[in-house]
Amino acid sequence: QVQLVQSGAEVRKPGASVKVSCKASGYTFTNYDVTWVRQAPGQGLEWMGWMNPNSGNTGFARRFQGRVTMTSDTSINTAYMELSSLTSEDTAVYYCARGIRNKLFSDSWGQGTLVTVSS
Amino acid sequence: VLTQSPGTLSLSPGERATLSCRASQSVRGDYLAWYQQRPGQAPSLLIYDASSRAAGIPDRFSGSGSGTDFTLTISRLEPEDFAVYYCQQYGWAPRSFGPGTKVEIK
């Protein structure tokens, strides 16, 4: 079955960076995109961006451009999302999800990774 | 921009739930999805392309609508259906979510 397993919770100081991993299994990794969505405590879902593991192409929501990097290692079916210049407003659960190519709705989700930004 | 109404829906098990999602501009291709999120869990896909049920989703869930107005209907609420529901458009970049509708037990 399709599974996306994310790395564990992280704590960072303001100004630092964080890198979250997402290991996929149960499907051909390069046939689907990977999307990243975050959810601040008690808030709704916020779409961050996507990447195509086959081509390396990416697209980001405007508010994250210049601050987010999305990459993948197809040899181990793993996607990564790195967010830099963290502030307390970046405290959230970060989800990776399998994205349907050219549409980018997500049919399978990781369990989420809590990133806490605190001094 | 997507708006969802109502913000909270208070219903009893067995009742019908009707959730609305309205877009500020026409959604290309009616590319709209609905997700369910239970407390402490990741979201899960219910509906895509406005009216297609995702794999394994019971037929009490249905989606309808086109253009700027979309609806998720739950015909008879089961205890496990009390959750937050989000719509997402993927007709234009960047993809975006609505603010959510919480369906709570009355």
Side-chain angles (χ1 to χ4, degrees):
Chain A
Q1 76 281 20
V2 175
Q3 260 197 313
L4 297 164
V5 179
Q6 299 183 224
S7 48
E10 302 272 13
V11 179
R12 292 288 185 271
K13 293 191 184 302
S17 298
V18 69
K19 191 171 186 178
V20 178
S21 68
C22 171
K23 184 169 177 60
S25 61
Y27 70 98
T28 302
F29 183 58
T30 51
N31 283 356
Y32 295 81
D33 294 340
V34 177
T35 62
W36 290 88
V37 174
R38 77 177 186 180
Q39 186 170 38
Q43 302 301 307
L45 302 174
E46 181 175 25
W47 195 84
M48 298 181 68
W50 63 274
M51 77 156 300
N52 179 329
N54 195 44
S55 66
N57 289 344
T58 56
F60 309 122
R62 188 169 300 168
R63 65 175 293 178
F64 298 106
Q65 286 178 359
R67 205 160 69 89
V68 68
T69 304
M70 294 180 186
T71 58
S72 66
D73 185 340
T74 57
S75 69
I76 55 172
N77 292 347
T78 299
Y80 304 92
M81 187 282 298
E82 184 170 20
L83 190 62
S84 62
S85 302
L86 293 169
T87 72
S88 59
E89 294 190 350
D90 294 315
T91 293
V93 175
Y94 289 77
Y95 294 102
C96 67
R98 187 175 81 163
I100 303 304
R101 190 144 293 161
N102 297 321
K103 288 188 173 182
L104 296 178
F105 66 87
S106 300
D107 66 347
S108 293
W109 293 65
Q111 83 277 19
T113 296
L114 175 62
V115 174
T116 302
V117 183
S118 173
S119 55
Chain B
V1 176
L2 297 178
T3 56
Q4 291 187 241
S5 60
T8 301
L9 198 51
S10 298
L11 295 168
S12 301
E15 289 194 293
R16 182 185 188 90
T18 303
L19 287 66
S20 173
C21 176
R22 179 163 291 177
S24 57
Q25 63 189 76
S26 184
V27 179
R28 178 181 68 90
D30 294 336
Y31 285 162
L32 188 110
W34 290 93
Y35 300 87
Q36 176 192 70
Q37 188 177 33
R38 297 181 178 126
Q41 295 186 17
S44 60
L45 178 68
L46 297 172
I47 301 288
Y48 63 94
D49 292 352
S51 60
S52 297
R53 264 189 304 276
I57 299 303
D59 61 7
R60 65 179 181 273
F61 291 93
S62 63
S64 62
S66 65
T68 59
D69 290 297
F70 300 87
T71 301
L72 174 70
T73 302
I74 311 171
S75 59
R76 294 174 315 278
L77 283 164
E78 297 288 341
E80 61 269 27
D81 299 337
F82 291 92
V84 180
Y85 293 84
Y86 295 95
C87 58
Q88 181 207 9
Q89 65 78 22
Y90 45 98
W92 68 80
R95 287 23 177 177
S96 57
F97 292 94
T101 290
K102 181 179 181 180
V103 179
E104 65 176 22
I105 299 177
K106 186 173 182 180

